[in-house]
Amino acid sequence: MDFVVDPPEIISLPVKGGGNWPVNNIYCVGRNYAAHAVEMGGNPDQEPPFFFMKPGYAVLKSGGEMEYPSESSQVHHEVELIVALSGGGRNISVENAMDLVYGYGVGIDMTRRDLQSAAKDRSWPWEAGKVFRHAAPCSEIVPKLESGEINEAALALSINGDIRQQGNVNQMIWKVPQIISGLSKLFSLHSGDLIFTGTPEGVGPIKVGDQISANLESFATLEISVVSK
Ligand code: MN
């Protein structure tokens, strides 16, 4: 096609067992673990989880160097189960939602907490807190054919060998089928979409020089280092 400017590159992640995953949209669930909702000052009994997004360029592959982002002095880690969609559509039922799941991974929803807090105070959008280069480190994608459906699996994140977050995906308020169905009522889902499904408690700051490691039980692991920009 005769594009008048260069088209964007296809962002990809490796797939366990071979091949590459083309990253399309990245959806995220906020406050999907009760203990994290409480540590953020929320009340999970009164406020249901909700959605926001990150762009594909936020992806950083395992083994990569994360540039500490600009305009923030309080970047927090949030370890999360990633769901990778092999199909899309709208108004998908909870019963049919798992048919769209290709596989899983582990990721970190990196957050400029200071900018997110300022946005919350002013009822502004969250992009400044959630969107930046390397804001979405991701493991390889593990096909469901290999892992089976993951309804229960330990999630953990450590920094320089010290464990900072530990949880289990069975603690999610909205389970994976509900998340997919809920997203599809609001948005048009597409193959290649990734969903960050929320973080357990224990979020906290990262700093330049940190070696960060995250894992979804023995299914998927992610290792990154933090460098100055
Ligand atoms: Mn998150």
Side-chain angles (χ1 to χ4, degrees):
M1 255 191 269
D2 57 342
F3 295 116
V4 298
V5 296
D6 291 337
E9 62 169 321
I10 294 175
I11 312 278
S12 67
L13 287 168
V15 174
K16 189 173 186 181
N20 289 286
W21 183 262
V23 177
N24 191 46
N25 288 309
I26 304 174
Y27 295 96
C28 305
V29 185
R31 297 192 180 175
N32 200 25
Y33 288 74
H36 172 64
V38 169
E39 78 178 346
M40 296 305 294
N43 181 342
D45 295 330
Q46 291 173 12
E47 300 153 14
F50 53 88
F51 303 120
F52 60 93
M53 293 182 76
K54 290 180 188 253
Y57 75 78
V59 164
L60 174 67
K61 293 177 191 177
S62 185
E65 293 185 333
M66 175 194 168
E67 294 172 9
Y68 197 94
S70 58
E71 304 294 325
S72 178
S73 55
Q74 194 189 30
V75 175
H76 276 193
H77 55 79
E78 299 187 358
V79 66
E80 311 201 357
L81 167 74
I82 297 173
V83 176
L85 300 187
S86 57
R90 293 193 291 173
N91 296 315
I92 296 151
S93 68
V94 170
E95 293 71 30
N96 294 331
M98 290 308 293
D99 295 345
L100 303 184
V101 174
Y102 175 87
Y104 304 92
V106 62
I108 309 173
D109 168 15
M110 290 289 186
T111 303
R112 287 191 278 219
R113 192 73 75 201
D114 41 5
L115 300 192
Q116 185 200 32
S117 299
K120 285 180 186 172
D121 290 345
R122 295 166 175 81
S123 298
W124 284 351
W126 276 21
E127 277 81 1
K130 292 293 191 178
V131 177
F132 48 90
R133 184 167 144 86
H134 300 164
C138 297
S139 72
E140 64 183 354
I141 300 299
V142 181
K144 187 172 70 174
L145 284 172
E146 172 159 335
S147 64
E149 274 190 25
I150 295 181
N151 300 307
E152 194 168 331
L155 265 182
L157 180 140
S158 61
I159 300 182
N160 306 323
D162 297 330
I163 292 182
R164 302 292 178 89
Q165 283 190 271
Q166 274 187 304
N168 195 298
V169 301
N170 67 9
Q171 298 163 331
M172 292 197 294
I173 296 169
W174 285 348
K175 310 301 182 192
V176 173
Q178 282 175 278
I179 293 169
I180 293 170
S181 179
L183 281 168
S184 76
K185 289 177 183 162
L186 289 164
F187 312 113
S188 289
L189 299 179
H190 192 277
S191 61
D193 287 350
L194 299 177
I195 307 169
F196 277 62
T197 55
T199 193
E201 76 271 29
V203 302
I206 64 165
K207 61 182 191 311
V208 170
D210 281 347
Q211 301 289 323
I212 304 178
S213 137
N215 70 285
L216 172 67
E217 222 164 88
S218 58
F219 298 114
T221 58
L222 167 62
E223 310 268 352
I224 59 166
S225 54
V226 184
V227 300
S228 56
K229 57 183 177 294

